[in-house]
Amino acid sequence: MREDTNGSIHENSGNGYFEIDYPRGKLCLGRKTHIMGVLNITPDSFYDGNKNFVPEDAINHAHKIIAEGADIIDIGGESTRPGASPISVEEELKRVIPLIKILSKEINKPISIDTYKAVVAKRAIEEGASMVNDIGGLIDDENMSKVIAGARVPVVIMHKKGSPLTMQKNPICKDLFPEIISCLKRSISTAMEAGIEKSKIILDPGIGFGKTMQQNLEILKRLYEFKGMGYPLLIGTSRKNFIGALLNVSVQERLYGTLATLAVAIMNGANIIRVHDVKAAVHVATICDAIRNT
């Protein structure tokens, strides 16, 4: 392990150890895989749409997944499933801000705001969010990097090709890893130029976002190759379409397939896994971590 002058721990030659500061504490990534529990406040998300659209249901679900072992709560107000249409800033704020206000006072875990809009991220941080999960990779909204730098919160920088509405109509054609790495490097440069510290950046190669089924499988198989970039990795495979396509099952029947992908991701270097089924993911991560750390 080595430390920067600011005390943040970066990757070593083994599993990779990182400390990600957030306003209320630190995420110590490495020996323990961290679980990011999904809390979608949408009527149309591909799996849990409308389940938590009523505020009371959303609050209860947040407490449930914390009790099941979630280390981070990722709150999103806009569906980014393939084919989804964007919503207005006003509608997104209406969905997520009241919930963040309440949960930031009731739970002691970091709250992540899942948005690619700088205005939404800023308001969410002001109301208690501790990090930003940006599927736009700091590129879709030119003000996002400034908001994050000013707030000094961690950011998940994700790769995608196109928008949710169009991304699966025109996926990456060739040179999968060079294209993803090149785009992530561009996003990292944007972050650095805005003043975001290296020790606050998490990378996500964007499973399902402008990739074919075979490309999603290749990312999981070769995930360790991203570790050379020197940042912790987040992976989100939970109940996604490529699992359904491989198993020929509905979204409701994709849990076991999801758990298999999580095990592969953890063993290949994922530091954070973003999931709908927290309790099951905790069990998988606990076993994988025990094997990795033996």
Side-chain angles (χ1 to χ4, degrees):
M1 259 184 321
R2 70 174 178 83
E3 295 191 10
D4 285 346
T5 55
N6 64 5
S8 296
I9 298 176
H10 290 274
E11 185 183 8
N12 68 4
S13 58
N15 291 337
Y17 296 84
F18 305 85
E19 287 185 353
I20 304 293
D21 295 322
Y22 66 97
R24 296 186 181 182
K26 291 185 178 183
L27 299 175
C28 299
L29 308 177
R31 298 187 65 83
K32 175 186 181 298
T33 301
H34 281 56
I35 312 297
M36 175 182 275
V38 177
L39 183 53
N40 286 325
I41 317 302
T42 62
D44 57 346
S45 289
F46 76 99
Y47 173 59
D48 54 356
N50 213 33
K51 288 185 179 180
N52 301 304
F53 203 51
V54 176
E56 184 178 353
D57 292 340
I59 292 167
N60 290 338
H61 187 68
H63 284 285
K64 174 178 179 288
I65 59 179
I66 288 290
E68 290 177 344
D71 300 293
I72 307 164
I73 301 292
D74 192 39
I75 296 177
E78 177 177 331
S79 175
T80 54
R81 75 188 192 286
S85 297
I87 64 172
S88 68
V89 169
E90 292 74 21
E91 178 61 25
E92 191 173 351
L93 289 169
K94 179 182 175 182
R95 293 177 182 182
V96 300
I97 296 304
L99 182 62
I100 292 172
K101 280 184 178 181
I102 295 170
L103 289 179
S104 64
K105 296 178 176 63
E106 293 187 356
I107 64 175
N108 61 0
K109 300 289 186 178
I111 294 173
S112 166
I113 177 64
D114 179 4
T115 187
Y116 56 90
K117 301 183 182 85
V119 171
V120 176
K122 185 174 188 297
R123 282 287 307 280
I125 293 166
E126 289 170 351
E127 298 299 343
S130 299
M131 60 190 297
V132 177
N133 183 11
D134 182 12
I135 70 162
L138 304 180
I139 303 300
D140 284 359
D141 188 329
E142 64 181 11
N143 292 316
M144 182 66 90
S145 57
K146 300 172 187 175
V147 167
I148 293 167
R152 299 177 61 85
V153 297
V155 59
V156 178
I157 294 175
M158 196 194 81
H159 171 272
K160 67 175 173 60
K161 188 174 189 293
S163 68
L165 185 62
T166 63
M167 61 192 178
Q168 291 310 107
K169 296 177 182 178
N170 185 30
I172 297 173
C173 295
K174 60 181 180 178
D175 299 328
L176 175 67
F177 273 64
E179 178 165 335
I180 294 173
I181 290 171
S182 175
C183 289
L184 289 175
K185 285 183 176 179
R186 176 187 170 199
S187 293
I188 291 167
S189 294
T190 298
M192 297 295 188
E193 289 169 7
I196 297 174
E197 300 167 43
K198 179 179 180 180
S199 59
K200 294 188 184 298
I201 295 173
I202 302 160
L203 300 182
D204 178 355
I207 295 281
F209 284 82
K211 286 89 172 175
T212 65
M213 179 177 71
Q214 192 61 39
Q215 288 170 339
N216 291 325
L217 298 176
E218 188 174 355
I219 289 169
L220 287 170
K221 183 178 180 179
R222 298 168 55 193
L223 186 64
Y224 59 88
E225 294 184 26
F226 291 107
K227 301 296 284 187
M229 298 183 73
Y231 297 88
L233 298 178
L234 181 148
I235 285 291
T237 59
S238 187
R239 296 183 178 264
K240 287 189 173 177
N241 285 342
F242 78 100
I243 297 171
L246 276 170
L247 300 176
N248 193 27
V249 295
S250 69
V251 66
Q252 288 76 23
E253 299 177 284
R254 296 176 192 171
L255 174 59
Y256 299 146
T258 294
L259 298 181
T261 66
L262 296 180
V264 171
I266 293 168
M267 297 306 292
N268 281 338
N271 300 101
I272 304 172
I273 51 176
R274 182 180 182 274
V275 298
H276 298 91
D277 307 280
V278 169
K279 184 176 181 180
V282 168
H283 286 187
V284 170
T286 300
I287 299 299
C288 289
D289 288 346
I291 294 170
R292 285 200 312 177
N293 296 326
T294 296

